[in-house]
Amino acid sequence: MKVISYNLRKHRAAVELSKLVDEHAVDVLCLQECDTRDIPQEIAGLRLAEATQRNRLGLAVYYRDNTFRAVEVRAIALKKSLHDYVLKPAEERMLGVRLRDIDDGREVIVASFHAAPLTALNSLRRHQIRTALSELQSLGPGLPALMVGDYNYPVFKEHLGQKVRDQGYELTLSDARTYTRYRFFRGHYDFATSVGFDIAHIRTLPQGLSDHLPILVTAEVSTSPPPTGA
């Protein structure tokens, strides 16, 4: 399964999506900062599963409808930062979709995630990540789950990785940094947390109109038992 995650920077990079999907034969597309009033029902053969409704710039998930069926979707509002209370940029910061493979009937969960901005504390973002991962398991207990997106977590990722492993998930970074706008804040912002998947690799794709670079996740459902605590 190939999944692209892309923060569109206030929808500016939306014009690039069809080319990205075609060029990389994508199965699932997870978006952040997309204009939910101005997104199509289909992008290069991918069907819109759902988009968040409570904020204009939000999340969306697309899937290849000749491969999967969307069984259930769930948007979750997470603990707010001061930035959220004052500017109200986002209400729902996780959008999960339960997908059923048409051929073999196997189900997986894929989610788009957008953590609070850098003005918030890492502790708040860890709380958001922990809550989002718990909600994914309630969407499909025991199912393989992959959450990709903008984690806004450029430093102390080792600590975050341990917290994620404590929940039974794995944190995987891409092969190159994903954010380049500000000199002192460049680094890995966009990555994946997963359970029940073997991540072959995560590749940072060339930069387009966004200050974030899209990432391409290549993964398959694991044949080994999930770790304790998943």
Side-chain angles (χ1 to χ4, degrees), residues 9-10 12 16 21 28 40 43 57 68 88 91-92 96 108 150 154 159 166 173 180 183 198-200 204 208 224-225:
R9 192 185 178 189
K10 300 180 180 179
R12 295 180 188 179
E16 302 167 8
V21 171
V28 181
I43 297 177
L57 288 174
F68 298 105
K88 298 182 179 180
E91 292 286 334
E92 298 153 312
V108 298
D150 178 5
H159 183 50
D166 289 344
L173 304 182
T180 61
R183 178 181 177 185
D198 291 326
I199 307 295
T204 300
S224 58

Side-chain angles (χ1 to χ4, degrees), residues 52 55 66 75 84 89 91 96 113 121 123 135-136 145-146 149 153 158 176 182 187 202 204 217 229:
T52 50
N55 40 281
N66 64 1
D84 292 327
E91 292 286 334
F113 174 74
L121 297 174
S123 58
E135 289 290 341
L136 284 187
L146 172 67
Y153 213 102
E158 296 82 3
Y182 298 114
I202 301 181
T204 300
V217 182

Side-chain angles (χ1 to χ4, degrees), residues 125-172:
R125 282 185 284 274
R126 287 196 301 272
H127 184 282
Q128 292 179 331
I129 294 165
R130 182 171 64 249
T131 303
L133 294 177
S134 296
E135 289 290 341
L136 284 187
Q137 285 305 303
S138 67
L139 184 59
L143 291 180
L146 172 67
M147 186 170 82
V148 296
D150 178 5
Y151 284 67
N152 272 322
Y153 213 102
V155 295
F156 306 119
K157 283 185 284 293
E158 296 82 3
H159 183 50
L160 174 62
Q162 185 56 57
K163 294 294 184 181
V164 167
R165 286 190 292 274
D166 289 344
Q167 281 189 264
Y169 288 78
E170 289 295 329
L171 183 151
T172 312

